[in-house]
Amino acid sequence: MVRAPIAYTLVAARGRAGAEPMPRLSEYLLPTEKDAPADAEAVSHRLMVRAGLVRQMGAGIWTWLPAGWRSHEKAVAIIREEIDGIGGQEMLMPVLQPAAPWRASGRYEVDALFKLNDRKGADLVLAMTHEEAVTTHVAQIVRSYRDLPLILYHVQVKERDEPRPRAGVLRTREFVMKDSYTFDRDAEGLEQRYQLHVGAYDRIMQRSGLRYYRVEADVGMMGGHGAHEYMAPCAAGENEVVLAGDYAANIEVASAEPRPVTLPEAPDAPQPVATPGLTTVADVAAELGLEAGALLKAYPVVRADDGRMVLVMLRGDHQVNEIKLGLALGCESALGPPGFIGPVGAPGDVEIVLDMAVAQGPAGGYVTGANRSDEHLRGVVPGRDFAYREVDVRTVVAGDTIGGTAVTIEPAIEIGNIFKLGTRYSEPLGASYLDENGREQPIWMGSYGIGPARIVAAAVEQYSDEHGISWPRALAPFDLHLVSLGKQGSEERDVCDVLYNDLREGGFDVIYDDRDAGPGEKFADAELLGCPLRLTVGRRSLESGEVEVQIRRGRVQAEPLSLDAEVGVLLGALRELWQTLP
C-alpha cells in the first residue's frame, strides 16, 4: 500500500479582469463574532462561525454565508476541473427518489436513509448517495459493449439521518458532495477507471493545499471489492489513520505485528487456578503476576445469518475491532464477555476463532477463563487444548510494528472515498450489456465521492492560529484583504479606492474593508477571515508612499508596495509575491 505524498498547492493568480465587482465590507454580509458557539469543540466549527462563513439552523443543518460559499465553490471548481480532465460527464440527479430502486439494492433499511411518503402514500427516500439512481438510468440506456466505458458525475445535495451531528460542517445531515460513477465491461476496465480517479483525487488534494493520506479502507454499506479513503490529518478528525513507512490504512482495517509478549512455559495440560471475583484482565493479570498480553479474553458473538455461537479469542491487552470482526464472520451481535468464558471444553457446536496475534505469537501457555465461576486456567496452548480458525480481528495499537517500523496513529478527517463496486448494484438493478459475441454481461461499476465542505473545514483545521484562519490560496474566499484606515472623504481613503479598483481589474479577488471602524477591529477581522495577503493603506502610507503588505500565514510582513509605481509594476510585484504563497 502506498501512502500519498503530503503536498501543498501552488497555483497562479487568476486573471479575471471585467469579472463581477468584488465586495466592500460596508456592503457585504460578513457577520464576524468575538465569541465561538458554546457547543463548538472543533477548530473549524469555532472559526467558521466567528469568521462569518456559516450559520446553524438546527442539529446538523447549516447555511453557508457569502464568504463561506465562495470557499466552498472554489473547492467545487477544483473538483470539477479534475473530474472533467479524466473524461467525466456532468449531470444532475434528484435528491428525492422513489423507494423501489433502494429496495432492489438492499439499502432501503439502512438507518441513515431518510424515508418519507408523498400525499398519495408512495414510499420515497432522500438520497444519501446516488448509486441507485445512476445505475437505473444506465440500465435503461446502455445496450452494447460499444456504449462503455462511461464516467458520469454530479455535484448534488445529499441527505443523511446522522445520529450524532457534530463539529460544525464536518458531520451534518445535509451536505453537498461530488459523486462520480464509472461503468465498464469487466474488472480490468474498472481498475483503469479507478486509477484515473486515484490520480484525480490526488491532484484535488494537492491543489487544495491539504496535507493528506490515501489509505486502505472498509467498503462499509457501499459494498464491493475494495476501497480507499482520502484523509486529512487534524485533531478534530473522527477517524484514525495507521501509518508506518509507506503503509497507510484506516484503523478499521489496519493490520500490524503486535508488541511481543512473554509467556510462561506451558505445563503438559491446563491447570485450574482460583480467581474468586476476578472478572477483568487487569485483575487476573495482577493476581497471577503476568502481563495482560499473557491472558486470552473471550468475546462471544452470535452470527446473524444462522444464529450459531462464535467464540472470538484474543490477547488480553488487545481490543476487538468490530469492522474487522464483521469482515471475518459476517454480521454479528456481541453477547459478552461475562468474565470467565474460555475456549477449553467449549461445546462442539461453538466455533472458536483466534486472533492472528495469538496464533502467530510465541510459544508458551496462556491464561483463559475456565467456563466456571471464580476460576481460570493456566498453561492453555492454542491448537493443543482447543481447535480454532485464525482471523485478524484486533485493533492496531501504538507499539505495534509493520515491517520493523513502529506505527503511528493520527486522527484525521475523511475528505473523500473511492470504491470498486463491481456488480454490487448492476446485478440487482439490471444494468447489463451485450458483449462482442452477443452475450449479456453485467456492468462493472465504481463509485467515487468527495466532500467540498470537508475540504474547506479541513483547511481551516490544518491552517489556523490563535488569531483565526490562514487559508491556502486555492480555497481562500478572497485573494487579498484590503484595509483602509482613513475615514470617508479622507486622502488615504481616496488612495485606497483607486488601489481597490486597480487590484480588481488586475484579476485579484479583493475584499475591501471600507468601514468607518477602528484599526484594531479591522485588523482583527482580517486575521480572523484569513485571506492570504493583507494590504493596508493609512496615514503612514501617504507619508512613505508605500502600501503595507502582510502575509497571513505566519503573520509575516512582506516588502511594501510603492504607491508611486505604475499600476502594471505594482500588480507584477504582487503576482510574484502571490506565486510564493502556500
Side-chain angles (χ1 to χ4, degrees):
M1 185 185 326
V2 177
R3 180 171 67 183
I6 296 175
Y8 301 87
T9 186
L10 287 173
V11 295
R14 296 164 296 286
R16 281 200 288 265
E20 77 281 1
M22 291 296 105
R24 296 170 177 258
L25 263 182
S26 59
E27 305 168 353
Y28 195 66
L29 181 62
L30 190 72
T32 58
E33 302 283 351
K34 290 184 178 180
D35 299 318
D39 62 340
E41 298 178 358
V43 170
S44 57
H45 186 177
R46 296 197 300 268
L47 290 180
M48 292 179 75
V49 172
R50 288 193 57 217
L53 306 181
V54 295
R55 280 293 184 273
Q56 187 171 14
M57 278 199 70
I61 304 172
W62 288 83
T63 293
W64 289 81
L65 299 180
W69 190 244
R70 288 179 66 88
S71 287
H72 186 282
E73 290 304 279
K74 286 187 176 182
V76 169
I78 293 171
I79 293 167
R80 274 200 172 99
E81 289 176 9
E82 293 300 338
I83 302 303
D84 287 345
I86 61 172
Q89 302 179 54
E90 186 170 4
M91 56 193 297
L92 185 65
M93 292 173 280
V95 179
L96 182 66
Q97 298 179 13
W102 291 79
R103 286 196 172 99
S105 72
R107 292 208 299 171
Y108 185 72
E109 300 304 325
V110 171
D111 290 338
L113 182 66
F114 276 109
K115 307 173 183 71
L116 66 158
N117 302 103
D118 65 15
R119 66 182 63 193
K120 296 181 180 179
D123 292 334
L124 301 169
V125 304
L126 298 178
M128 54 186 179
T129 57
H130 279 71
E131 283 78 8
E132 284 78 5
V134 73
T135 309
T136 296
H137 292 312
V138 167
Q140 297 165 345
I141 296 168
V142 168
R143 293 287 179 266
S144 165
Y145 68 94
R146 297 184 181 89
D147 300 325
L148 300 172
L150 283 173
I151 300 177
L152 304 175
Y153 81 97
H154 69 167
V155 181
Q156 176 61 295
V157 170
K158 313 289 182 183
E159 306 285 350
R160 188 187 302 268
D161 193 3
E162 173 57 53
R164 293 177 297 278
R166 61 175 294 273
V169 300
L170 280 175
R171 180 173 283 277
T172 60
R173 297 199 286 173
E174 178 176 282
F175 52 94
V176 174
M177 187 169 76
K178 185 287 301 174
D179 42 326
S180 51
Y181 302 94
T182 59
F183 302 88
D184 282 281
R185 305 174 192 176
D186 49 31
E188 182 179 356
L190 167 59
E191 182 63 28
Q192 293 173 0
R193 243 58 57 196
Y194 192 86
Q195 292 305 320
L196 285 177
H197 277 82
V198 167
Y201 273 42
D202 283 356
R203 291 188 294 274
I204 290 167
M205 296 295 114
Q206 292 160 8
R207 289 181 59 186
S208 298
L210 296 181
R211 303 193 304 271
Y212 74 98
Y213 301 109
R214 179 182 356 107
V215 306
E216 183 181 344
D218 175 44
V219 297
M221 69 175 180
M222 300 293 292
H225 304 284
H228 286 84
E229 292 168 337
Y230 282 77
M231 295 286 195
C234 73
E238 57 192 16
N239 292 276
E240 289 186 306
V241 177
V242 176
L243 307 168
D246 290 334
Y247 181 89
N250 190 312
I251 200 167
E252 293 178 344
V253 298
S255 296
E257 294 90 40
R259 177 188 62 83
V261 64
T262 301
L263 299 178
E265 185 176 349
D268 293 337
Q271 298 175 347
V273 56
T275 52
L278 304 181
T279 61
T280 69
V281 168
D283 288 345
V284 175
E287 175 69 17
L288 302 180
L290 299 171
E291 54 183 311
L295 278 66
L296 296 184
K297 58 185 176 183
Y299 191 88
V301 300
V302 173
R303 295 179 62 102
D305 52 0
D306 57 13
R308 288 184 58 202
M309 174 76 79
V310 178
L311 194 60
V312 182
M313 303 299 302
L314 69 163
R315 266 173 40 175
D317 59 339
H318 292 161
Q319 299 297 321
V320 167
N321 183 314
E322 297 285 355
I323 299 296
K324 292 165 75 172
L325 181 59
L327 293 173
L329 303 181
C331 294
E332 74 291 322
S333 55
L335 295 181
F340 298 98
I341 294 175
V344 180
D349 60 346
V350 174
E351 180 187 12
I352 298 175
V353 297
L354 185 67
D355 184 66
M356 62 190 302
V358 179
Q360 299 177 12
Y366 286 93
V367 172
T368 74
N371 291 314
R372 294 181 294 273
S373 295
D374 297 330
E375 191 172 288
H376 282 74
L377 295 177
R378 302 186 72 155
V380 174
V381 178
R384 183 194 71 180
D385 299 320
F386 65 91
Y388 64 84
R389 175 166 65 91
E390 182 179 331
V391 293
D392 176 13
V393 293
R394 76 179 183 94
T395 299
V396 171
V397 295
D400 293 345
T401 58
I402 297 175
T405 300
V407 305
T408 58
I409 301 175
E410 285 191 56
I413 297 170
E414 180 188 337
I415 301 296
N417 43 50
I418 55 179
F419 300 91
K420 297 178 185 179
L421 299 177
T423 60
R424 160 69 179 85
Y425 293 88
S426 56
E427 288 186 339
L429 293 169
S432 61
Y433 70 96
L434 296 179
D435 66 15
E436 296 91 330
N437 300 312
R439 290 192 294 267
E440 188 175 38
Q441 304 286 354
I443 294 174
W444 283 68
M445 292 176 55
S447 175
Y448 317 84
I450 193 167
R454 288 188 162 226
I455 290 176
V456 170
V460 175
E461 291 281 344
Q462 291 184 346
Y463 304 112
S464 61
D465 56 27
E466 65 272 23
H467 303 282
I469 303 169
S470 177
W471 291 105
R473 57 180 174 162
L475 300 177
F478 305 97
D479 303 333
L480 311 175
H481 197 129
L482 177 62
V483 176
S484 169
L485 299 183
K487 302 288 187 181
Q488 182 69 37
S490 66
E491 184 181 358
E492 50 262 52
R493 172 67 67 87
D494 292 340
V495 169
C496 207
D497 285 347
V498 173
L499 179 60
Y500 163 63
N501 289 323
D502 289 342
L503 293 169
R504 182 174 62 83
E505 291 175 4
F508 287 98
D509 287 345
V510 186
I511 182 73
Y512 177 21
D513 193 344
D514 62 340
R515 299 173 298 170
D516 287 331
E521 180 180 350
K522 291 189 173 189
F523 291 153
D525 283 350
E527 292 190 331
L528 181 59
L529 183 59
C531 298
L533 289 174
R534 187 184 81 204
L535 277 58
T536 304
V537 176
R539 175 56 53 184
R540 286 192 305 179
S541 300
L542 300 185
E543 295 172 352
S544 66
E546 295 177 329
V547 178
E548 177 186 320
V549 180
Q550 185 197 67
I551 299 171
R552 176 61 184 86
R553 186 73 56 83
R555 304 171 74 216
V556 176
Q557 293 299 127
E559 287 293 321
L561 300 172
S562 174
L563 285 172
D564 297 328
E566 294 289 334
V567 172
V569 174
L570 184 146
L571 291 174
L574 202 52
R575 290 194 185 100
E576 286 183 14
L577 176 59
W578 178 262
Q579 293 291 334
T580 68
L581 302 180

